[in-house]
Amino acid sequence: MNTESPGAPPLFVPSDAESSRCVAFLRKVNKKYGLALDSYCDLYRWSTDHIDSFWDTVWDDVAIVGYKGQSVVDKNTLPAANPPWFSEARINWAENMLTCRSADKFALIQATEPTPECPNPPHQRVTYADLYAMVADLVSALLMLDLKPGDRVASYSSNCIENVIACLAATAIGCIWVSAAADFGTQGVLERFEQVQPRVIFAVDAVVYNGKVHHHLPKLQSLLSGLSERCSLNPVVIVIESAMNTYTWDTDWVSWGTFISKGKSSSLGRTSEGEIDWCRQSFDWPLWILFSSGTTGRPKPIVHRAGGMLLQAKKEFVICADLRPEDVFFYYTTTGWMMWNFLVSGLSVGCTLVLYDGSPLRDPSYLWHLVDELQISIFGTSAKYLDQLSRMGYKPRDHHNLTCLRHIYSTGSPLGHALFDYVYEHIHPNVLLASITGGTDICSLFAGMCSALPVHRGEIQCRMLGMAIETFTHEGRNCQASEAGELVCVRPFPCMPIGFWPLPGFGTDESVKAAAERFRLSYFAEYKDVWYHGDHVLITPSQHGNGGGLIMLGRSDGVLNPGGIRFGSSEIYNVLETCFSFSEERNANDTIEDALVVAQSIDGGTDERVILFVKLCDKRALSIEMEQKIRSEIRSRRSPRHVPARIIQVDDIPYTLNGKRVEIPVKKIINGAQISSVNSATLRNPECLVQFADIGEMLRKEAMKC
């Protein structure tokens, strides 16, 4: 909670607010509609009261390439109706990413973490002209496979230039992009890809992390075997080559170089003028599928509409953030996090994007060397990275110039007050520090940056234009001033997902109906007709005309978030069920009867650690060997980030009367809540909570010593 008074001086005040794109947009709205809006607060209120006029004006202001038509949206509908947007429009997302064709301007710069074998890896650079040419060649190659609009094209790759090209080429022809990070375990990727059944998979042969080369082809082979066994899927595989691979290829796989050369020689998908023949579809055409963390089952396949992703990103970058073609934009992200999609959308501005493959902290100076070397002006990261950097005692300002920096973005978890101080004292004293929030569900922002507004300690600057977010009490009423509540959105917004996969026309009637119901339960079951986002927040009193900032108080559900990496508890449960459930073939000493996984708040609330509780058969003791086996399986089948900080044996696991594991009450108890705060009448075995309370006291004492 923010304890500072509303009058506390800001940490940063823009020197040129009146010349910002946000103020220019306000003036344009005033002129077009005969208004007298005078502040960001005024503009925000107008944008959420008149969503049709606002988004129509945004389209023109940010110069969307395509046909707009006359219709915008039915402004009288509620979010639960998920109304169509710009129903007459025809656009292509990739076309809007490649409006710049300069042969002198770099579009992408790829940096790779050094290793002992390669201490000074050269950066790879691609101009906008080269990027366009390579996308055109890959478009041709994909069309040789007889791909059609709506087919899924997937990536199991690192953050490399080829991955961006693959995304642009796939979406250029109307295919739907699906991505999983190379550090994901194959079981987690299988759970995602088997739901959407891609026809093509792009994959790297190796990745670098923590100064080591990690071979990727064995994981790729395991994924392909699983897809073949589970759903008889045998996609075309394109391998992005490196000089690091030592593993033998499958004879059916095709190298990136060979594939793109075939496309270049055939020149499919071109107009008579030799341009890419962009597949313009409706505004609501599916662009990509992102996956939820999988708390209550398999990860949810969230389908995002092309027009919504384009219009929202252009609004955020051009109007709110004031990104410019001369900016160099970096975000530390994997390809499995929505911040990769966020970063790639920066191509629409014509700026230079910096991609990085490797550890951000093995050498804490490395990313800041990149800032100076590449003149990075927009630096994106996570709150956990800043926290770890501060704990290491590393002060970038003492070792680097950093005068090129304009903005620093932080997301993944709330940015604590002390980290605001750290950034301004030890990184840059005059930079726009923007804590931003939105997430995979909308693949964009509900609240975040504005170049026309000050930065206040511990707060997100503002609610984003056009996003009518409010806070509700548990009973569904609007929160009072200074009352924390659940983040909701009460008006339709264009970046709302179309639904969960499969959409109508892409599956059986039964599977489509089930996906639609799963979508409704995810976002519209908590409150009638309004979007429930699952974040507990406080909207602060308006300061300097910002309409109120936001303080993030945590997730409302049981999503685990260690180090800013979100994942669901079911990802842990699935490993335990696969590897340690009872079977005739398995030794009884290697079985787990039941388990519960929750997060414990640490580091003053700036981070979490994963605590796994296990119940063993016959109450035998948890051995060191068993602990090691559990950690090993979770690491190999998921990722190192999924490995629990503590594995603790308990006598019983609490369940509700209707047979559901009780995660949230246990999480609250181990973080200090009283047992009396839990409604025992809803539990099948409430007596077992006493043991969790005792363990929680021990864990909190342990965390204080760290």
Side-chain angles (χ1 to χ4, degrees):
M1 296 291 290
N2 187 2
T3 58
E4 297 181 350
S5 70
L11 298 175
F12 167 82
V13 177
S15 60
D16 55 350
E18 289 301 307
S19 63
S20 68
R21 277 299 301 267
C22 186
V23 171
F25 182 78
L26 180 148
R27 291 170 179 154
K28 179 178 290 188
V29 168
N30 280 341
K31 182 177 180 180
K32 182 176 181 179
Y33 297 101
L35 303 173
L37 308 178
D38 190 45
S39 66
Y40 182 88
C41 182
D42 291 344
L43 180 61
Y44 172 75
R45 293 298 181 193
W46 177 82
S47 74
T48 54
D49 288 342
H50 303 85
I51 56 173
D52 53 345
S53 299
F54 169 72
W55 289 107
D56 181 74
T57 306
V58 169
W59 179 300
D60 296 335
D61 187 69
V62 300
I64 299 294
V65 177
Y67 175 70
K68 181 174 66 171
Q70 300 300 313
S71 173
V72 179
V73 69
D74 181 353
K75 64 179 181 181
N76 296 315
T77 59
L78 291 168
N82 204 354
W85 286 83
F86 294 94
S87 58
E88 302 166 14
R90 289 296 179 269
I91 59 102
N92 181 275
W93 177 84
E95 181 181 10
N96 280 269
M97 296 302 111
L98 293 174
T99 56
C100 178
R101 307 282 177 82
S102 172
D104 302 315
K105 176 71 177 294
F106 287 122
L108 304 170
I109 302 174
Q110 178 185 330
T112 303
E113 181 187 353
T115 64
E117 297 77 19
C118 186
N120 296 295
H123 302 327
Q124 299 180 47
R125 290 176 166 85
V126 173
T127 67
Y128 270 95
D130 291 338
L131 179 61
Y132 179 87
M134 286 188 283
V135 170
D137 291 341
L138 192 56
V139 160
S140 177
L142 291 172
L143 290 173
M144 291 176 68
L145 302 177
D146 197 32
L147 290 181
K148 300 292 191 296
D151 286 341
R152 277 73 65 209
V153 174
S155 163
Y156 188 17
S157 181
S158 59
N159 192 11
C160 59
I161 288 172
E162 292 86 352
N163 201 60
V164 176
I165 295 170
C167 175
L168 292 169
T171 55
I173 61 175
C175 292
I176 304 169
W177 180 251
V178 186
S179 183
D183 67 345
F184 275 24
T186 54
Q187 187 67 25
V189 181
L190 179 59
E191 289 170 354
R192 289 159 170 81
F193 285 9
E194 71 173 333
Q195 295 187 67
V196 300
Q197 302 201 2
R199 286 193 56 192
V200 180
I201 295 178
F202 290 89
V204 291
D205 60 10
V207 296
V208 176
Y209 194 85
N210 227 15
K212 298 179 181 179
V213 175
H214 301 268
H215 296 288
H216 192 59
L217 295 185
K219 294 170 68 176
L220 173 63
Q221 184 62 71
S222 176
L223 169 65
L224 295 171
S225 297
L227 289 172
S228 178
E229 292 169 5
R230 288 199 188 184
C231 47
S232 301
L233 184 68
N234 296 289
V236 174
V237 176
I238 314 300
V239 177
I240 300 165
E241 307 159 277
S242 72
M244 301 179 289
N245 179 57
T246 59
Y247 278 80
T248 303
W249 285 30
D250 189 294
T251 55
D252 292 333
W253 300 346
V254 182
S255 74
W256 170 272
T258 299
F259 190 64
I260 206 166
S261 293
K262 289 181 179 179
K264 186 174 185 177
S265 62
S266 63
S267 297
L268 299 179
R270 310 286 175 90
T271 66
S272 56
E273 293 80 22
E275 293 284 304
I276 295 173
D277 189 9
W278 306 103
C279 181
R280 289 187 177 180
Q281 296 281 359
S282 68
F283 188 93
D284 288 349
W285 183 256
L287 174 67
W288 49 47
I289 300 171
L290 274 61
F291 290 90
S292 71
S293 52
T295 305
T296 56
R298 290 196 304 173
K300 301 179 182 71
I302 306 168
V303 188
H304 292 284
R305 65 191 89 199
M309 292 294 91
L310 173 62
L311 193 61
Q312 175 79 334
K314 292 280 276 187
K315 178 208 72 177
E316 291 172 352
F317 289 150
V318 176
I319 297 174
C320 300
D322 212 351
L323 260 65
R324 307 158 188 167
E326 60 268 27
D327 276 317
V328 179
F329 183 15
F330 166 80
Y331 217 107
Y332 179 74
T333 180
T334 69
T335 59
W337 191 20
M338 66 143 282
M339 300 316 298
W340 182 87
N341 307 72
F342 182 83
L343 173 65
V344 172
S345 296
L347 291 170
S348 67
V349 181
C351 59
T352 298
L353 307 186
V354 177
L355 314 175
Y356 176 64
D357 181 26
S359 168
L361 284 167
R362 178 173 174 268
D363 175 2
S365 71
Y366 188 76
L367 295 185
W368 303 103
H369 280 306
L370 287 181
V371 171
D372 284 340
E373 178 189 357
L374 303 178
Q375 291 294 285
I376 292 170
S377 54
I378 313 295
F379 184 97
T381 186
S382 66
K384 182 57 181 175
Y385 168 79
L386 295 172
D387 181 56
Q388 289 178 316
L389 201 66
S390 69
R391 290 176 181 276
M392 294 171 72
Y394 192 77
K395 303 174 181 179
R397 190 178 173 189
D398 292 348
H399 308 283
H400 310 276
N401 186 284
L402 308 182
T403 54
C404 55
L405 278 177
R406 294 202 301 124
H407 297 179
I408 295 177
Y409 300 155
S410 170
T411 192
S413 58
L415 189 65
H417 289 58
L419 291 178
F420 277 77
D421 299 336
Y422 170 75
V423 168
Y424 283 107
E425 291 174 14
H426 301 302
I427 297 180
H428 199 301
N430 192 34
V431 69
L432 191 159
L433 173 59
S435 179
I436 58 179
T437 187
T440 301
D441 307 275
I442 64 170
C443 196
S444 58
L445 308 180
F446 271 132
M449 65 287 198
C450 179
S451 63
L453 292 174
V455 174
H456 294 274
R457 187 172 184 259
E459 292 188 19
I460 297 175
Q461 280 184 288
C462 58
R463 291 173 281 183
M464 302 299 279
L465 297 175
M467 309 297 279
I469 62 171
E470 298 176 4
T471 50
F472 276 14
T473 65
H474 183 70
E475 295 75 24
R477 63 170 176 80
N478 283 94
C479 292
Q480 301 297 313
S482 300
E483 180 184 12
E486 301 303 314
L487 189 154
V488 297
C489 192
V490 300
R491 302 295 306 277
F493 51 98
C495 57
M496 180 174 149
I498 314 166
F500 290 163
W501 191 264
L503 301 175
F506 291 96
T508 65
D509 290 344
E510 183 180 1
S511 63
V512 169
K513 184 178 179 180
E517 176 62 10
R518 195 181 185 196
F519 182 79
R520 185 193 70 80
L521 291 173
S522 295
Y523 304 115
F524 299 105
E526 190 75 16
Y527 302 112
K528 181 177 174 57
D529 292 331
V530 302
W531 175 279
Y532 167 72
H533 199 57
D535 280 328
H536 198 59
V537 307
L538 174 68
I539 299 176
T540 62
S542 182
Q543 301 181 76
H544 300 92
N546 71 351
L550 260 72
I551 297 176
M552 307 301 295
L553 302 176
R555 290 292 298 169
S556 307
D557 57 18
V559 170
L560 302 160
N561 196 23
I565 306 298
R566 297 181 63 226
F567 57 91
S569 55
S570 65
E571 296 201 32
I572 304 294
Y573 297 141
N574 289 343
V575 173
L576 300 182
E577 289 167 4
T578 299
C579 303
F580 301 99
S581 60
F582 177 79
S583 69
E584 292 182 358
E585 298 78 20
R586 184 170 289 128
N587 189 307
N589 292 328
D590 291 332
T591 59
I592 295 175
E593 182 176 336
D594 207 351
L596 183 78
V597 62
V598 297
Q600 180 192 8
S601 179
I602 59 173
D603 297 342
T606 64
D607 199 3
E608 296 178 348
R609 64 174 182 168
V610 178
I611 309 296
L612 174 62
F613 298 102
V614 295
K615 179 182 178 181
L616 301 184
C617 299
D618 301 321
K619 295 187 178 181
R620 71 180 188 280
L622 177 65
S623 66
I624 295 176
E625 292 77 11
M626 184 65 164
E627 274 200 58
Q628 291 173 339
K629 287 181 181 179
I630 294 170
R631 295 181 192 278
S632 177
E633 291 292 352
I634 292 173
R635 181 184 298 272
S636 63
R637 293 173 178 268
R638 288 297 184 258
S639 80
R641 297 174 178 85
H642 289 70
V643 178
R646 291 293 310 274
I647 301 175
I648 300 173
Q649 184 175 5
V650 292
D651 296 331
D652 203 3
I653 300 295
Y655 278 82
T656 62
L657 295 175
N658 58 0
K660 293 184 179 181
R661 285 188 182 98
V662 178
E663 291 181 349
I664 302 303
V666 169
K667 177 180 177 179
K668 291 179 178 178
I669 287 170
I670 70 165
N671 283 292
Q674 299 296 312
I675 294 178
S676 58
S677 66
V678 179
N679 182 0
S680 61
T682 64
L683 302 184
R684 188 176 67 190
N685 49 347
E687 65 280 357
C688 72
L689 294 180
V690 175
Q691 185 179 19
F692 286 92
D694 294 337
I695 293 171
E697 184 176 356
M698 178 269 293
L699 289 172
R700 292 192 299 277
K701 290 179 179 178
E702 179 181 283
M704 290 177 64
K705 295 177 182 178
C706 296

